Amino acid sequence: MNRSNGGGTGTGGGMRGAAGGANLLALRSHNTALVLDLLRTAGGAGISRLELAERTGLTPQAVSKITARLRGEGLAAEAGRRASTGGKPRTVLRLVPGAGHALGVHLDRDELRAVLVDLDGTVVAERRAPLDLGAGAETVLEMVARAAEELAAEGLGHLVAEGARVPGAALAAAPTLLGLGVALPGPLDHVRGVLHRITGFPGWDGYPLREALERRLGVPVVVDKDTNAAALGLAVGGAGGERGSGAVGERGSGAVGEAGGAGGEGGSRAGGEGGSRAGAEWGSGAVGEAGGAGGEGDSGAGVEAGGAGGQRGSRAGAEWGSGAGAEEGGAGAEAARAGARGGSFAYLHLGTGLGAGLVFGGGVHRGARTGAGEFGHQVVQLDGPPCTCGARGCIEALCLAAVARGDLAEAARVLGTGAANLAGLLDIDLVLLGGRTVAAAPEAFVQGVGAVLDARARREGGHDGPVPVRLAPAGTRGVAEGAAQLLLAPLFGRGEGG
């Protein structure tokens, strides 16, 4: 079945699984996304239909219909049997990671990094190559196409018919490939996939990157800022993040009840399907069953909103907690506490530039014009050194200048000042640090930024203590893995934010 255009919202498209054609857009109703996400977070151990029903609020009959369809499409499989309290052992189901794949590409100013991941976020293949982002659109597109086709050939070549193994056809012929996510420095228009004036590279202003890549590669493409992609990867727990702790069951009773439609899932909810819905529907106000003849139809606009503000806020920490700097110790517990207080974190990326990805209530905050997170260009020194953006005294300019002269303590202090401003403005629960420069000296940056936030907390008093600072997982490929999540996360109902 042909893939549908992923558009700018990161919806993904159709794919063909092991058992034939599967339209993933049709699978992406709220209820199906709940079940898929619970299968994903359960891991190889699997989860029973009864547990799925308990944790989604759906009836066992609805769960059986959803899981039967997922098994028929090759997305779910039996993982064995589990003893039950009376009666016969329960059949346990698991996600089939190899039933779907996504490509993620990180375009930095001087480097391209690309990964191919499966449905579980596990990296199947990767590439890395020098890049000049200012070399021109055709040169950059050619490098992206080459990397994507090489990864598809390496990781998915066994699924592609011999006749399709020619340049330019490998991606479109790969039956399990959802598409390509591209992450690069902003600002840009995430919805339209159009770039704005990237700092230092004004030639990209107005370039329709998504359209150009879709035309070139023949698969859906989603474009986002590098910091947003990394933050999404952290929020959904893919690519080395914490997938399981507390995630199974965290959505509990937010499921949409059955409305008795005659043919599968209805889709009449206000706000539409698939993750862009208002946070209310993730709350504890499950829709009751209307009992009916056909599947798990969605029962209407207003009913879902019953649990406004429910579990969505409280789940953020559990979803990404222990992976975010677990090597530092205690990050999982701190993240869980952050989630309980509202579920927010800031991912600060320091590499060839400086930016932020913001997560509130489990979703990436992009803003009305998808321009949120231009963290590096807040002015902290009115008469400071000129920045490539045209202003003076930007945090990015000060921070990179300190790094260039080898003064990491000063670079961390400047970064910490920006983090403290962010914490004071947005009352975030956790700061995660990433990017090549941080990865080269993680202890210096974690301790330096933490010291600034600690000093701020002491000045302000209070009993909560400083905002914790941790090293983000996945290292230097975190942005590329997050770019792949731009295609994967919506399948599990996890891809959208505000």
Side-chain angles (χ1 to χ4, degrees):
M1 177 170 289
N2 291 333
R3 299 171 181 83
S4 62
N5 191 321
T9 58
T11 56
M15 74 175 187
R16 286 166 293 183
N23 185 342
L24 291 191
L25 288 179
L27 290 173
R28 281 187 57 247
S29 78
H30 178 57
N31 293 348
T32 304
L34 287 175
V35 171
L36 276 170
D37 197 37
L38 290 173
L39 289 169
R40 180 183 71 93
T41 55
I47 184 171
S48 71
R49 293 179 182 84
L50 181 59
E51 290 171 300
L52 288 170
E54 291 172 347
R55 292 168 180 173
T56 60
L58 294 168
T59 64
Q61 293 85 352
V63 168
S64 291
K65 288 173 182 175
I66 293 173
T67 55
R69 187 168 65 254
L70 294 177
R71 290 182 64 188
E73 300 292 359
L75 290 164
E78 287 191 9
R81 294 183 178 274
R82 184 178 299 163
S84 63
T85 55
K88 64 181 181 180
R90 298 173 185 169
T91 299
V92 177
L93 301 174
R94 62 174 178 84
L95 183 72
V96 178
H101 296 85
L103 288 159
V105 174
H106 177 196
L107 295 178
D108 208 343
R109 291 171 174 85
D110 61 357
E111 180 183 79
L112 178 150
R113 190 179 290 264
V115 297
L116 174 70
V117 306
D118 63 19
L119 290 179
D120 201 32
T122 300
V123 175
V124 176
E126 61 182 306
R127 289 287 187 279
R128 180 183 176 189
L131 171 73
D132 177 7
L133 194 57
E138 282 306 312
T139 300
V140 173
L141 260 63
E142 176 60 32
M143 290 192 66
V144 172
R146 186 185 312 131
E149 288 167 358
E150 288 177 357
L151 287 173
E154 178 182 338
L156 305 177
H158 61 290
L159 301 174
V160 180
E162 286 293 334
R165 294 180 187 176
V166 296
L171 299 190
T176 64
L177 185 65
L178 286 163
L180 170 73
V182 181
L184 70 164
L188 53 80
D189 185 333
H190 165 65
V191 173
R192 295 168 54 231
V194 174
L195 306 187
H196 294 325
R197 189 178 291 268
I198 299 174
T199 304
F201 300 93
W204 284 103
D205 190 18
Y207 187 79
L209 181 60
R210 188 190 75 206
E211 179 184 330
L213 282 172
E214 286 183 337
R215 191 166 55 242
R216 177 71 171 267
L217 300 174
V219 297
V221 175
V222 182
V223 176
D224 208 346
K225 291 201 297 186
D226 48 10
T227 51
N228 287 342
L232 175 63
L234 292 166
V236 302
E242 208 307 271
R243 292 193 179 98
S245 76
V248 175
E250 70 207 1
R251 285 174 163 173
S253 55
V256 180
E258 299 164 65
E265 297 158 30
S268 61
R269 297 184 303 280
E273 300 179 350
S276 61
R277 302 173 296 273
E281 72 178 54
W282 297 98
S284 58
V287 181
E289 299 156 28
E296 39 328 325
D298 304 320
S299 62
V303 190
E304 291 183 69
Q311 283 180 295
R312 186 169 186 177
S314 66
R315 76 168 194 261
E319 289 171 356
W320 48 267
S322 69
E327 66 276 12
E328 300 288 329
E334 286 172 323
R337 289 196 297 273
R341 294 197 303 268
S344 63
F345 70 84
Y347 168 75
L348 306 185
H349 184 93
L350 178 60
T352 58
L354 175 61
L358 306 173
V359 170
F360 300 111
V364 176
H365 176 73
R366 296 184 176 91
R369 287 161 293 280
T370 72
E374 290 299 314
F375 171 83
H377 298 293
Q378 53 178 308
V379 174
V380 293
Q381 186 178 336
L382 292 179
D383 298 318
C387 179
T388 51
C389 73
R392 302 184 70 91
C394 292
I395 285 184
E396 178 177 295
L398 294 169
C399 198
L400 292 179
V403 171
R405 62 177 182 266
D407 191 349
L408 295 185
E410 174 65 9
R413 188 180 72 86
V414 172
L415 183 58
T417 299
N421 290 343
L422 200 60
L425 181 66
L426 300 177
D427 195 22
I428 55 175
D429 300 310
L430 182 68
V431 171
L432 297 173
L433 304 181
R436 271 189 284 163
T437 303
V438 170
E443 189 172 331
F445 281 98
V446 171
Q447 290 183 358
V449 173
V452 178
L453 288 168
D454 184 61
R456 175 182 177 272
R458 287 199 305 272
R459 287 195 308 271
E460 294 183 350
H463 304 290
D464 290 336
V467 176
V469 180
R470 294 288 179 263
L471 185 67
T476 55
R477 72 181 188 190
V479 173
E481 294 183 16
Q485 288 292 339
L486 292 169
L487 275 297
L488 293 180
L491 177 62
F492 304 102
R494 306 278 287 275
E496 298 300 328

